[in-house]
């Protein structure tokens, strides 16, 4: 048990490091002088290291706790499901899960707002390969297909690049997800509440900020208390209280996702969002 | 109190004046210090975009104890905050680096840079002014030409010394990422500016174009694993420069080999010790500063906990490694939380390359004598500095019983950090920037 406890201590430290790192990446967006590439790269290394330790420990724990056959049965079940269909059974729990995953603003239960806000959160605010990777099949709907993506903006050419499950998509100019859930994530548009395309937007980042402003002012459905920070605060408070809350619901899913996540660890760790 | 002249050949005396701004705001924080090539001038840049240049007093027979003190010579606003409307980004006015050009005429020239733009400044003295214009009277008002009956030649009359700084060149729009260093070539015609991913070569006369000589940006930004942290030209070989990376490696490049110097000719890296692996291994191995020795045979690098001296002929490991503050190794987690782990300390050689110096926390700075292998920790603070007293060595107690005069690791003030220091090129005079205060220490004169 001595080993276990020490292992758990490592895991707890890893957890707090992950939440601290997420907060740093979030804060860097609003720091004067723009996002510092060097610092964010170093923070992503800490995230990767902490996540490696955490996953390793959780793996050990899960294997000890569960029968192998049980896990396989669940895995088969999951792989049969089309990831895009999972969102159809959206309940409160799924919403929460997605919110936690993608740092989405808290929505009233059962609401189906356009995905763009949390797409932005997921792919531009969240650090590369954050829990989004882990919970990818759980995400479901439009969110699910976004959750295993990492988006980067090349400041030189203003090309937005999306990496989806290891595949590379390169789009011109800016990004916004489809409004309709379940649509192919490849098509990218900027809009302010509708789905009007605007391919001329020069900067993904700028677009995100503009969208945020517009949402704050004009979206009548928007929770007036919603802010970018509250997304991350939710995310962090969830992590701060432990992954176990999410894991208990989806421990088996997690395992499959973790395998996927681990496989793509190399690619994930190197993504720097919005650069 | 031990006389530490036995440990180091130099004794440093606190300044009779500590130069600092009267009110401490964020803008007053000194962000760079640099002596010029003769040591006559000392330039500082701050977060508010200002440059302050100090000049050494001429030695005076009547006041020998005021030998060579530094006084303010010129102050000017080098950079202003800017806004990039296309990217919705504010560009900070903070001066990241200042590099002097060697003096070639009566005026002084320096390069100063913020995150995006390098500027060449000319600092010149004006102690005469022309008087006796024909068409203008002394107030500057135009005369009625019909009242002029004779012509005269204007003469130069002495006036109070005025030091003026003018921006002679502005080198802009060449960097997408933040500029971290500039370096003037020994040919005195070109210089390089370096950002996170690229090194650009400029001609001092030409501002509308620069050559990119190093580009480590990957085709797919997702594959980014390291950034450039600093670059410097070799002090004598005008075709050689070195750049350091966030992964703890240094590359030496020869510009004669190819137009694009992506292929290095030497690669300096020490393999990581697996027993010290931690969450923060990548952060603490990132090099924050690289400096060639004056003789051009060695390179010095600073990472978070150590200073290393490399022999240019030996790539696989450093010649010497000095622990700056190894007692921080156990505190990396809290230093990560408060962002101190990202502090970029600089390092500097003395004129003869026998002593190296770098800063630490609690306003401590450290000197290492490469020959005797002795080191000393000194503190830059008003309380401990009486004029003409000798600086007392400080010691950090790592554990166990704390002796009198020692300071424990937990009492260190991490908000007081010395990131920027510079050493006079010939004499034992050092300038140390502690937040908004500049300390200039000189060695003891018998």
């Amino acid at each position: 048990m001595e080993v276990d406890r020490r292992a758990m201590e490592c895991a707890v430290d890893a957890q707090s490091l992950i939440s601290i790192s997420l907060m740093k990446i979030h804060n860097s967006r609003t720091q004067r002088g723009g996002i510092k590439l060097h610092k964010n790269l170093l923070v992503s290394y800490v995230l990767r290291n902490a996540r490696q330790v955490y996953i390793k420990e959780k793996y050990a724990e899960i294997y000890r706790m569960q029968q192998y056959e049980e896990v396989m049965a669940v895995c088969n079940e999951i792989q049969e499901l089309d990831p895009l269909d999972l969102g159809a059974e959206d309940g409160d729990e799924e919403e929460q899960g997605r919110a936690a995953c993608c740092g989405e603003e808290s929505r009233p239960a059962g609401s189906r707002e356009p995905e763009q806000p949390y797409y932005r959160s997921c792919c531009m605010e969240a650090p590369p390969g954050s829990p989004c990777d882990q919970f990818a099949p759980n995400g479901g709907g439009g969110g699910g297909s976004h959750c295993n993506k990492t988006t980067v903006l090349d400041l030189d050419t203003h090309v937005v690049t999306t990496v989806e499950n290891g595949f590379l998509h390169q789009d011109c100019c800016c990004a916004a997800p489809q409004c309709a859930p379940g649509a192919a994530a490849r098509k990218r548009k900027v809009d302010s509440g509708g789905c009007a395309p605007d391919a001329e937007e020069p900067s993904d980042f700028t677009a995100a900020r503009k969208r945020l402003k517009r949402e704050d002012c004009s979206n009548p459905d928007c929770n007036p208390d919603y802010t970018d920070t509250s997304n991350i605060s939710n995310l962090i408070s969830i992590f701060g209280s432990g992954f176990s809350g999410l894991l208990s619901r989806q421990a088996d899913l997690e395992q499959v996702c973790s395998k996927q996540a681990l496989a793509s660890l190399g690619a994930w760790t190197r993504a720097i969002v919005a650069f | 109190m031990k006389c530490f002249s036995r440990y180091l050949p130099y004794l440093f005396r606190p300044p009779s004046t500590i130069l600092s701004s009267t009110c401490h705001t964020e803008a007053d924080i000194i962000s760079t210090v640099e002596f010029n090539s003769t040591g006559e001038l000392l330039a500082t840049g701050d977060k508010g975009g200002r440059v302050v240049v100090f000049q050494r007093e001429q030695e005076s027979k009547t006041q020998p104890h005021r030998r060579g003190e530094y006084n303010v010579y010129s102050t000017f606003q080098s950079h202003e905050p800017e806004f990039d409307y296309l990217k919705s980004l504010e560009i900070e006015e903070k001066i990241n680096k200042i590099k002097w050009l060697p003096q070639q005429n009566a005026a002084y020239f320096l390069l100063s840079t913020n995150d995006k733009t390098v500027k060449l400044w000319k600092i010149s003295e004006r102690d005469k002014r022309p008087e006796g214009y024909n068409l203008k009277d002394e107030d500057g008002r135009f005369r009625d030409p019909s009242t002029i009956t004779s012509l005269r030649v204007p003469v130069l009359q002495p006036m109070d010394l005025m030091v003026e700084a003018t921006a002679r060149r502005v080198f802009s729009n060449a960097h997408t990422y933040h500029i971290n260093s500039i370096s003037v070539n020994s040919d005195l015609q070109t210089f390089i500016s370096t950002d996170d991913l690229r090194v650009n070569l400029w001609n001092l006369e030409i501002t509308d174009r620069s050559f990119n000589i190093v580009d480590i940006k990957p085709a797919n930004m997702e594959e980014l694993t390291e950034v450039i942290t600093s670059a410097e030209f070799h002090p004598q070989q005008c075709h050689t420069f070195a750049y350091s990376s966030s992964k703890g490696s240094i590359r030496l490049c020869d510009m004669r080999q190819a137009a694009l110097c992506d292929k290095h000719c030497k690669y300096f890296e020490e393999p990581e010790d697996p027993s010290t692996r931690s969450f923060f291994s990548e952060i603490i191995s990132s090099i924050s500063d690289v400096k060639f020795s004056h003789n051009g045979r060695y390179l010095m690098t600073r990472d978070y906990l150590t200073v290393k001296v490399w022999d240019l002929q030996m790539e696989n490991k450093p010649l010497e490694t000095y622990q700056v503050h190894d007692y921080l190794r156990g505190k990396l987690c809290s230093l990560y939380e408060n962002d101190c782990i990202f502090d970029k300390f600089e390092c500097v050689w003395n004129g003869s390359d026998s002593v190296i110096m770098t800063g630490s926390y609690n306003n401590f700075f450290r000197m290492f004598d490469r020959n005797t292998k002795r080191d000393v920790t000194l503190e830059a603070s008003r309380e401990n500095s009486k004029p003409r007293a000798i600086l007392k060595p400080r010691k950090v107690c790592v554990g166990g019983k704390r002796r009198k005069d020692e300071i424990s690791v937990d009492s260190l003030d991490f908000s007081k950090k010395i990131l920027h220091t510079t050493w006079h090129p010939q004499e034992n005079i050092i300038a140390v920037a502690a937040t908004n205060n500049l300390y200039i220490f000189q060695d003891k004169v018998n």
Side-chain angles (χ1 to χ4, degrees):
Chain A
M1 285 316 288
E2 184 64 31
V3 174
D4 280 357
R5 210 177 310 125
R6 238 193 8 224
M8 279 315 292
E9 277 169 15
C10 284
V12 166
D13 283 343
Q15 242 177 281
S16 61
L17 274 181
I18 288 172
S19 50
I20 290 167
S21 304
L22 288 177
M23 182 61 103
K24 285 190 193 297
I25 290 179
H26 171 73
N27 289 340
S28 75
R29 292 183 64 225
T30 50
Q31 263 167 11
R32 219 176 145 235
I35 299 175
K36 309 240 181 304
L37 182 61
H38 184 200
K39 183 176 175 185
N40 280 271
L41 180 67
L42 296 177
V43 170
S44 75
Y45 273 115
V46 174
L47 260 176
R48 179 198 71 168
N49 295 339
R51 190 158 161 260
Q52 277 174 339
V53 167
Y54 185 80
I55 287 175
K56 205 168 106 178
E57 296 307 320
K58 278 296 164 187
Y59 251 143
E61 198 184 305
I62 286 167
Y63 272 129
R64 274 194 303 274
M65 280 163 33
Q66 286 186 337
Q67 297 292 334
Y68 178 70
E69 289 76 16
E70 255 180 64
V71 171
M72 282 312 295
V74 174
C75 279
N76 290 335
E77 216 177 305
I78 290 153
Q79 278 161 12
E80 275 162 8
L81 288 172
D82 184 336
L84 295 178
D85 288 346
L86 279 178
E89 292 107 30
D90 237 356
D92 224 14
E93 228 180 323
E94 289 293 332
E95 283 278 356
Q96 286 296 321
R98 239 196 332 215
C101 164
C102 302
E104 187 187 18
E105 68 275 19
S106 18
R107 299 280 189 190
S111 74
R112 300 287 298 153
E113 297 292 332
E115 281 74 14
Q116 36 163 330
Y118 78 78
Y119 171 86
R120 178 179 73 249
S121 307
C122 172
C123 297
M124 289 172 65
E125 294 169 23
S130 65
C132 293
D133 272 355
Q134 272 181 294
F135 302 112
N138 165 54
S145 62
H146 295 298
C147 278
N148 46 15
K149 272 203 266 195
T150 310
T151 302
V152 299
L153 165 69
D154 186 327
L155 286 181
D156 287 323
T157 59
H158 301 293
V159 168
V160 179
T161 307
T162 312
V163 178
E164 196 175 329
N165 274 339
F167 293 105
L168 180 65
H169 304 277
Q170 222 158 14
D171 306 334
C172 286
C173 294
C174 65
Q178 286 299 298
C179 303
R186 219 158 300 182
K187 218 161 153 218
R188 329 279 303 267
K189 291 174 190 166
V190 181
D191 60 55
S192 57
C195 288
D198 180 8
E200 300 314 312
E201 193 71 42
S203 158
D204 207 8
F205 192 68
T206 315
R209 281 201 178 176
K210 286 183 187 167
R211 268 205 300 277
L212 173 62
K213 270 199 200 141
R214 282 197 281 264
E215 274 163 20
D216 278 346
C217 315
S218 62
N219 188 343
D221 296 332
C222 189
N223 183 344
D225 293 332
Y226 161 65
T227 59
D228 249 4
T229 349
S230 72
N231 287 352
I232 301 297
S233 306
N234 285 340
L235 190 63
I236 287 166
S237 64
I238 285 164
F239 290 151
S241 63
F243 286 119
S244 54
L246 298 166
L247 276 177
S248 59
R249 276 199 297 271
Q250 298 123 20
D252 30 21
L253 291 176
E254 218 277 272
Q255 194 163 22
V256 175
C257 308
S258 294
K259 273 187 188 155
Q260 286 176 344
L262 275 178
S264 65
L265 198 61
W268 168 82
T269 57
R270 292 186 286 268
I272 300 293
V273 177
F275 280 112
Chain B
M1 184 184 77
K2 281 184 187 162
C3 168
F4 68 94
S5 62
R6 276 183 274 156
Y7 299 110
L8 273 184
Y10 324 110
L11 285 171
F12 282 95
R13 206 192 295 157
S16 54
T17 50
I18 296 166
L19 303 146
S20 73
S21 48
T22 44
C23 56
H24 176 189
T25 61
E26 173 102 0
D28 297 324
I29 295 173
I30 298 171
S31 50
T32 186
V33 269
E34 188 82 6
F35 275 108
N36 75 339
S37 51
T38 60
E40 182 204 351
L41 297 179
L42 174 67
T44 62
D46 64 24
K47 272 194 161 186
R50 285 174 306 231
V51 172
V52 181
V53 180
F54 301 91
Q55 187 186 44
R56 196 176 184 191
E57 265 183 27
Q58 297 302 320
E59 296 197 18
S60 157
K61 290 196 178 65
T62 54
Q63 292 185 308
H65 60 276
R66 287 183 66 83
R67 169 186 167 275
E69 300 222 337
Y70 285 83
N71 300 313
V72 178
Y73 179 64
S74 171
T75 304
F76 57 93
Q77 187 75 31
S78 169
H79 287 72
E80 299 273 5
E82 287 172 55
F83 197 79
D84 182 338
Y85 295 98
L86 199 65
K87 294 171 189 164
S88 281
L89 290 177
E90 193 179 0
I91 300 168
E92 277 190 283
E93 67 277 28
K94 172 168 79 93
I95 308 295
N96 293 334
K97 281 280 154 42
I98 289 174
K99 285 282 145 76
W100 288 95
L101 268 61
Q103 197 175 4
Q104 289 174 306
N105 53 36
Y108 303 104
F109 288 87
L110 61 79
L111 286 172
S112 69
T113 185
N114 69 347
D115 283 339
K116 296 287 182 185
T117 305
V118 185
K119 292 187 185 179
L120 176 70
W121 287 90
K122 175 181 176 185
I123 301 164
S124 50
E125 292 180 8
R126 191 193 288 270
D127 60 357
K128 295 185 185 50
R129 68 158 179 257
E131 280 177 20
Y133 284 104
N134 291 291
L135 293 176
K136 274 197 282 190
D137 63 24
E138 295 313 315
D139 298 332
R141 282 175 306 194
F142 282 101
R143 281 181 176 168
D144 181 1
S146 57
T147 62
I148 298 171
T149 53
S150 63
L151 288 176
R152 56 183 175 164
V153 176
V155 291
L156 292 172
Q157 299 289 352
M159 59 178 260
D160 290 337
L161 178 67
M162 192 171 74
V163 181
E164 48 186 20
T166 46
R168 302 296 295 183
R169 307 268 188 277
V170 178
F171 306 93
S172 56
N173 296 323
H175 288 279
T176 308
Y177 302 94
H178 295 105
I179 296 175
N180 51 55
S181 50
I182 46 176
S183 178
V184 183
N185 200 343
S186 50
D187 66 7
L188 305 183
Q189 293 181 0
T190 55
F191 72 94
I192 49 174
S193 58
T194 308
D195 67 28
D196 291 317
L197 298 178
R198 297 185 175 109
V199 180
N200 290 337
L201 179 72
W202 302 83
N203 184 301
L204 282 162
E205 300 296 325
I206 299 169
T207 58
D208 61 356
R209 128 185 43 146
S210 70
F211 289 102
N212 174 252
I213 54 175
V214 175
D215 187 343
I216 65 165
K217 186 176 170 204
N220 174 13
M221 274 297 273
E222 204 222 17
E223 291 162 17
L224 181 75
T225 56
E226 66 181 326
V227 296
I228 301 174
T229 53
S230 187
E232 199 186 38
F233 266 119
H234 191 278
Q236 286 92 36
Q237 295 170 10
C238 56
H239 48 78
T240 303
F241 67 95
Y243 67 91
S244 58
S245 86
S246 57
K247 274 194 166 173
S249 63
I250 309 102
R251 288 169 178 82
L252 198 72
C253 299
D254 188 333
M255 295 199 291
R256 299 169 299 186
Q257 277 189 344
L260 203 54
C261 300
D262 283 350
K263 283 195 176 57
H264 52 264
C265 46
K266 284 191 202 255
Y267 181 77
F268 300 87
E269 193 180 39
E270 184 175 29
E272 190 197 338
D273 178 3
S275 66
T276 58
R277 176 113 194 110
S278 76
F279 289 118
F280 311 104
S281 294
E282 286 83 3
I283 301 187
I284 63 171
S285 62
S286 174
I287 293 175
S288 51
D289 195 17
V290 64
K291 291 264 170 46
F292 278 100
S293 60
H294 290 95
N295 59 22
R297 288 173 51 200
Y298 306 104
L299 262 178
M300 170 166 55
T301 57
R302 174 73 155 97
D303 53 53
Y304 191 64
L305 297 177
T306 70
V307 186
K308 293 177 180 165
V309 175
W310 302 78
D311 187 326
L312 290 188
Q313 308 305 323
M314 185 165 69
E315 296 170 57
N316 60 337
K317 62 181 169 118
L319 195 62
E320 299 146 23
T321 302
Y322 301 95
Q323 302 295 331
V324 181
H325 38 215
D326 201 56
Y327 46 78
L328 296 183
R329 203 177 278 274
K331 295 179 84 68
L332 291 179
C333 199
S334 44
L335 291 168
Y336 177 71
E337 280 181 60
N338 63 18
D339 272 0
C340 282
I341 206 174
F342 301 104
D343 287 335
K344 295 187 182 159
F345 291 95
E346 291 171 11
C347 53
V348 67
W349 298 88
N350 75 335
S352 58
D353 299 332
S354 59
V355 181
I356 56 181
M357 176 169 71
T358 189
S360 179
Y361 293 103
N362 210 72
N363 278 352
F364 288 169
F365 57 99
R366 303 260 282 139
M367 282 187 202
F368 302 91
D369 189 317
R370 298 178 58 222
N371 300 325
T372 64
K373 300 299 178 206
R374 295 194 201 268
D375 62 87
V376 71
T377 304
L378 301 170
E379 183 179 357
S381 79
R382 289 173 190 274
E383 292 78 34
N384 298 335
S385 304
K386 288 182 199 140
R388 270 166 284 290
I390 292 168
L391 279 186
K392 218 172 62 163
R394 303 302 310 250
K395 191 148 163 55
V396 176
C397 156
V398 272
K401 202 158 182 277
R402 186 179 77 86
R403 292 204 197 113
K404 184 171 105 84
D405 288 347
E406 282 186 1
I407 182 162
S408 75
V409 180
D410 299 312
S411 318
L412 292 174
D413 187 345
F414 290 98
S415 66
K416 293 186 182 164
K417 52 193 89 170
I418 292 180
L419 304 174
H420 313 287
T421 59
T422 184
W423 203 309
H424 190 288
Q426 282 113 30
E427 299 183 39
N428 290 323
I429 304 173
I430 56 174
V432 168
T435 320
N436 64 323
N437 293 318
L438 181 71
Y439 292 82
I440 303 175
F441 299 112
Q442 304 192 13
D443 68 344
K444 183 177 175 188
V445 176
N446 291 316

